[in-house]
Amino acid sequence: MPAAGGPVNPTGSETTLEARGLSIRFQGRGGPVARAVDGVDLSIAAGEILALVGESGSGKTTLARALLGLEKPAAGDVLLDGQPLDRSAQGLRAFRRRVQLVLQDPAGALNPRHTVYESVAEGIRLHRLDAHDPEGRNEADLVAAALSSAGLRPPERLFLRYPHELSGGQRQRVLIAGALAMAPQLLVADEPVSSLDASIRGEILALLLQLRRDLGLGVLVVTHDLGLAWNIADRIAVMYLGRVVEAGPTEEVLRDPQHPYTKALLSVVPEINHVTPVVLTGEVPDPTRIPDGCRFHPRCPALADGSAEDAGVGGDCRTSALPILSAGEGHHTACHLVAARSGSRS
């Protein structure tokens, strides 16, 4: 079930990270332009957990990198607290203290020659956090506090260990501790449990919920797994071929999915048994050749079974582009068929 009690924010912070009309494009030497992210509105605030869901190739990791300032947009903006991201070296340095990344592969992300202490202390040293700590803590105190917050206790027992001496779950917690050492308001977690055994996944998800509850952190979880989103997220945004196609409160989206793509993703989630199984044909199209009309239409079951034609929107599905989905409150869907059934094209 979604996180009990909804978003909380004991710090009172209103930190919000937003994408507005964001587009990211890639081009090889003389080759076609790939529209990896093609117009996205999205927001994540301190105190809430948002799951960004989609198949491989949907653009979700590229969007996450853009939100972190790691990809420069071709159009649109990334904003923090309503202000466009300052892309100067000093601006990005300040930004990355407030918004931290947790990678999906701790074995690859942690330097095998660095001890746990050195891995967590790296950011503290880079930002000289011990020199500015309001409680007067030194570097070792800050490392110990970060490891404790990540559930590694007593932290001193791990200071001199190397990554190969840790379990997969411990390595993931060390990555999270390195992010927490910066005292951020927001975390971006890219497939945070995909490389872990099933027995450890629940522990890491519970940790993220605890960090939201105790520290007021906002967490953007990038995942292909709607079952994970069902267990942790307050809100869900479903991506397909560079666009968000459905978004809203987790309970609403997963109990009453509107977009055919969301229904297909849900139909293979073991935890959810109220959706008729749907098998999608084909693969996500090449982002250099995005289809006309609704970009999902070549794979859409509603076109295949005649539902869209019966509703009088088959032609629109094939030829009429849909607007960027609203990032506002409520349950939103970018689908001609849904619009027709609701009697509105807005």
Side-chain angles (χ1 to χ4, degrees), residues 281-316:
T281 59
E283 302 290 335
V284 179
D286 188 326
T288 64
R289 297 190 295 272
I290 292 177
D292 293 333
C294 170
R295 55 195 62 205
F296 183 59
H297 87 257
R299 304 174 70 198
C300 183
L303 269 175
D305 67 13
S307 300
E309 300 291 354
D310 292 344
V313 295
D316 288 342

Side-chain angles (χ1 to χ4, degrees), residues 217-231:
L217 284 179
V219 186
L220 174 64
V221 179
V222 180
T223 182
H224 66 278
D225 184 354
L226 270 173
L228 181 154
W230 176 256
N231 284 291

Side-chain angles (χ1 to χ4, degrees), residues 152 167-174 196 200 204:
L152 294 169
S167 68
Q170 287 175 320
R171 287 194 291 264
Q172 188 66 60
R173 289 175 186 268
V174 171
L196 302 177
I200 306 299
I204 299 300

Side-chain angles (χ1 to χ4, degrees), residues 150-173:
L152 294 169
R153 303 184 186 93
E156 292 80 8
R157 292 181 59 185
L158 295 172
F159 276 4
L160 299 182
R161 292 192 185 181
Y162 288 87
H164 73 272
E165 299 177 290
L166 307 176
S167 68
Q170 287 175 320
R171 287 194 291 264
Q172 188 66 60
R173 289 175 186 268

Side-chain angles (χ1 to χ4, degrees), residues 229-242:
W230 176 256
N231 284 291
I232 194 174
D234 303 301
R235 291 191 295 125
I236 288 179
V238 180
M239 281 194 80
Y240 183 79
L241 198 58

Side-chain angles (χ1 to χ4, degrees), residues 66-296:
L67 288 169
L68 287 159
L70 299 174
E71 299 287 354
K72 190 172 181 179
D77 291 301
V78 174
L79 303 98
L80 185 65
D81 294 340
Q83 298 299 314
L85 179 59
D86 180 354
R87 295 185 180 274
S88 68
Q90 184 176 1
L92 288 174
R93 184 184 179 98
F95 171 78
R96 287 173 184 148
R97 274 207 58 189
R98 300 179 64 188
V99 183
Q100 279 285 303
L101 171 66
V102 177
L103 294 168
Q104 65 175 300
D105 180 16
L110 292 171
N111 189 325
R113 298 183 180 181
H114 285 181
T115 62
V116 167
Y117 182 96
E118 291 167 331
S119 294
V120 178
E122 185 175 4
I124 296 171
R125 292 169 183 169
L126 179 64
H127 292 274
R128 301 186 62 215
L129 299 184
D130 53 334
H132 305 288
D133 184 67
E135 299 177 27
R137 293 173 294 180
N138 61 27
E139 179 182 284
D141 293 334
L142 293 174
V143 171
L147 288 169
S148 293
S149 293
L152 294 169
R153 303 184 186 93
E156 292 80 8
R157 292 181 59 185
L158 295 172
F159 276 4
L160 299 182
R161 292 192 185 181
Y162 288 87
H164 73 272
E165 299 177 290
L166 307 176
S167 68
Q170 287 175 320
R171 287 194 291 264
Q172 188 66 60
R173 289 175 186 268
V174 171
L175 278 185
I176 293 172
L180 295 178
M182 302 295 98
Q185 285 92 40
L186 298 168
L187 293 180
V188 176
D190 187 4
E191 298 282 8
V193 296
S194 64
S195 63
L196 302 177
D197 292 341
S199 60
I200 306 299
R201 288 163 55 95
E203 294 180 11
I204 299 300
L205 297 181
L207 172 61
L208 293 176
L209 286 169
Q210 180 183 340
L211 293 173
R212 187 273 295 274
R213 182 180 66 247
D214 295 347
L215 304 178
L217 284 179
V219 186
L220 174 64
V221 179
V222 180
T223 182
H224 66 278
D225 184 354
L226 270 173
L228 181 154
W230 176 256
N231 284 291
I232 194 174
D234 303 301
R235 291 191 295 125
I236 288 179
V238 180
M239 281 194 80
Y240 183 79
L241 198 58
R243 282 275 180 96
V244 174
V245 296
E246 185 161 6
T250 298
E251 188 79 12
E252 292 184 26
V253 173
L254 299 189
R255 287 202 180 278
D256 187 24
Q258 297 295 306
H259 199 282
Y261 180 60
T262 309
K263 292 179 180 180
L265 293 180
L266 272 172
S267 73
V268 295
V269 177
E271 296 94 327
I272 302 172
N273 57 19
H274 68 279
V275 179
T276 302
V278 177
V279 178
L280 293 178
T281 59
E283 302 290 335
V284 179
D286 188 326
T288 64
R289 297 190 295 272
I290 292 177
D292 293 333
C294 170
R295 55 195 62 205
F296 183 59

